Amino acid sequence: MEAPHRTDILISGGGMAGLIAAAAFGADGHRVICVDPAPPITAEEEGGADLRTTAFLQPSIRLFERSGLWARLSAHAAPLQIMRIIDAGGATPEARLVREFDAADISEAPFGYNLPNWLVRREAAALIDDMPNVEFRPGTGTEELVTREDEAIARLSDGSRIAARLVIGADGRDSVIRNALGIPVRTTRYGQKALAFAVTHELPHRNISTEIHRSGGPFTLVPLPDRDGKPCSAVVWLERGPEVERLLRLPNDTFEAALNARSTGILGHLTPVTRLSSWPIVSQLAARFTGRRTALIAEAAHVLPPIGAQGLNMSLADLSLLLDLSRGEPGSRDSLDEYQRRRWPEARMRMSGIDLLNRTSMIAPRPLRDLRAAGLGALYGIAPVRRLMMRAGLGAGRD
């Protein structure tokens, strides 16, 4: 049998987390191979393009700067200066409670920046294409993994074998790497689905991200750069599954009316400008994040509802710590033990918080929605609590 090709880092998965990981490890001087069964879709108009956006918080922006990716992304990013929470759980979908969290209360910088997912993939793929020590192999997946004390050997779908000091599973919620390690997962299904699309609107967003609670799940408007000379935002709309299916079947004008009713008119009239995408909402946590010479990041390790900009930011927190721990011997037992010790409890804690927020946002009975509004109003009205929650959301003081 032919000897395996050797590298420092093998990344299984070429989604956003995998491509960013390849760029970051490459920028740190490691030899990297990244594989994915499918090529990245890097244009908004292509079929199958990921039309969601991600609010990258400041710790993630620092990782982008470290990898060289921020220079490619900054011109396309919309800053997030204020996070606004609205309760619209009364008899009609109108704002009856508004609380705002201003980044200026804790920092001179905004909370972060919002970017389209397809664009991040495009720029990450372009960056690693320019790195002589990084190889991206789209159209090639990982099929088998054997781990040893000194290396892990993966067999790829093209028949080749790769020996790496560290294998990173960034291959999603059905991770081949996690399954090869025999790591179980705990999954919670909420009976919800999310709709994601972009809208233009009459009023400027003023770099404010708005999360509106009524029932079924939060309705979130996240700033984007202007589109065709008009203010633009990304929408993530969570509802129970049957309601999302009903919304998807509506004629365009009826859907637009439902959209504007749900938005409480906070940005004036909203007009959809991209196709709708939808996906089921679950939370999922792997029983552990490591094996011999192997680490799980992103959705291979944890999946959670799109609330509070925690999903991909948690994934990049995984990556940032793994980078720091890999400065000596990538994949060493000590480094992976430390990664497990620090990231798994942090992920479990944040998932518990997001689970509570999501279940609270799903409340349907009117009396319970009234209690929710009263509780949120009291909690968010206490200045020290507000600052603590903002710092916790950013991951300040952790990792």
Side-chain angles (χ1 to χ4, degrees):
M1 182 180 295
E2 186 176 343
H5 179 80
R6 297 192 178 279
T7 190
D8 295 327
I9 313 293
L10 172 64
I11 299 170
S12 180
M16 278 209 298
L19 291 175
I20 294 168
F25 274 96
D28 266 17
H30 298 284
R31 295 171 299 153
V32 181
I33 295 175
C34 179
V35 299
D36 193 276
I41 298 174
T42 57
E44 184 182 45
E45 64 276 6
E46 286 187 53
D50 186 349
L51 299 182
R52 294 172 294 178
T53 68
T54 297
F56 292 98
L57 303 178
Q58 282 298 337
S60 296
I61 300 302
R62 290 193 289 273
L63 176 64
F64 286 163
E65 292 171 341
R66 175 176 176 177
S67 67
L69 188 53
W70 185 237
R72 293 174 174 265
L73 294 174
S74 58
H76 307 283
L80 306 174
Q81 183 63 37
I82 294 175
M83 302 291 194
R84 177 167 53 196
I85 305 291
I86 293 177
D87 188 276
T92 58
E94 298 175 351
R96 60 177 179 174
L97 172 74
V98 180
R99 290 289 185 267
E100 293 187 350
F101 300 79
D102 192 332
D105 291 342
I106 61 170
S107 171
E108 295 181 358
F111 284 113
Y113 296 84
N114 197 43
L115 284 156
N117 288 6
W118 64 265
L119 186 140
V120 175
R121 290 190 184 201
R122 183 189 75 187
E123 296 305 319
L127 175 60
I128 64 178
D129 191 50
D130 291 339
M131 290 181 162
N133 56 326
V134 180
E135 181 183 355
F136 180 37
R137 300 185 186 180
T140 304
T142 306
E143 293 198 341
E144 291 182 0
L145 181 71
V146 176
T147 63
R148 301 170 179 168
E149 282 299 321
D150 59 341
E151 65 181 4
I153 300 176
R155 184 174 66 81
L156 306 182
S157 58
D158 63 3
S160 64
R161 294 190 303 150
I162 305 292
R165 292 194 288 170
L166 173 62
V167 172
I168 298 174
D171 45 357
R173 58 188 67 182
D174 298 318
S175 170
V176 171
I177 299 300
R178 189 188 65 233
N179 291 335
L181 295 172
I183 298 175
V185 295
R186 185 187 70 213
T187 302
T188 300
R189 305 185 187 279
Y190 295 95
Q192 292 169 294
K193 288 187 176 181
L195 281 173
F197 52 100
V199 296
T200 55
H201 38 84
E202 294 175 313
L203 303 177
H205 50 59
R206 296 184 293 119
N207 298 329
I208 299 174
S209 176
T210 302
E211 192 170 278
I212 303 170
H213 296 264
R214 181 164 173 80
S215 64
F219 177 101
T220 307
L221 289 154
V222 189
L224 287 172
D226 288 358
R227 188 182 183 111
D228 300 326
K230 298 177 181 178
C232 184
S233 292
V235 173
V236 181
W237 185 355
L238 271 64
E239 288 283 2
R240 297 186 183 275
E243 175 62 8
V244 169
E245 294 303 318
R246 185 190 74 83
L247 290 168
L248 287 169
R249 291 192 298 268
L250 293 177
N252 291 344
D253 56 344
T254 309
F255 175 83
E256 192 167 319
L259 165 68
N260 279 279
R262 186 64 175 84
S263 75
T264 72
I266 193 69
L267 294 178
H269 188 81
L270 308 181
T271 303
V273 291
T274 63
R275 63 177 173 81
L276 310 181
S277 61
S278 68
W279 71 96
I281 299 302
V282 302
S283 67
Q284 183 171 287
L285 182 66
R288 66 180 193 276
F289 290 175
T290 60
R292 284 192 305 185
R293 292 284 168 179
T294 313
L296 304 179
I297 68 169
E299 290 198 341
H302 44 70
V303 181
L304 65 166
I307 297 175
Q310 291 300 296
L312 193 55
N313 286 284
M314 280 176 58
S315 303
L316 298 189
D318 299 340
L319 174 56
S320 293
L321 178 59
L322 200 56
L323 273 172
D324 290 341
L325 295 172
S326 299
R327 284 174 172 160
E329 167 64 19
S332 69
R333 178 175 293 187
D334 286 347
S335 68
L336 293 177
D337 286 348
E338 181 69 2
Y339 178 72
Q340 170 69 20
R341 185 187 70 80
R342 293 173 63 177
R343 286 308 300 161
W344 193 88
E346 169 78 4
R348 182 177 61 176
M349 181 196 71
R350 288 184 181 272
M351 290 183 69
S352 296
I354 295 298
D355 176 83
L356 178 60
L357 288 173
N358 189 39
R359 292 182 187 279
T360 301
S361 73
M362 292 174 67
I363 290 172
R366 173 77 182 283
L368 294 180
R369 298 204 309 247
D370 293 342
L371 285 174
R372 177 186 66 196
L376 291 178
L379 181 64
Y380 294 158
I382 303 170
V385 173
R386 288 157 57 86
R387 287 193 293 271
L388 179 64
M389 294 182 70
M390 286 189 283
R391 291 186 181 277
L394 287 172
R398 295 183 179 274
D399 295 343

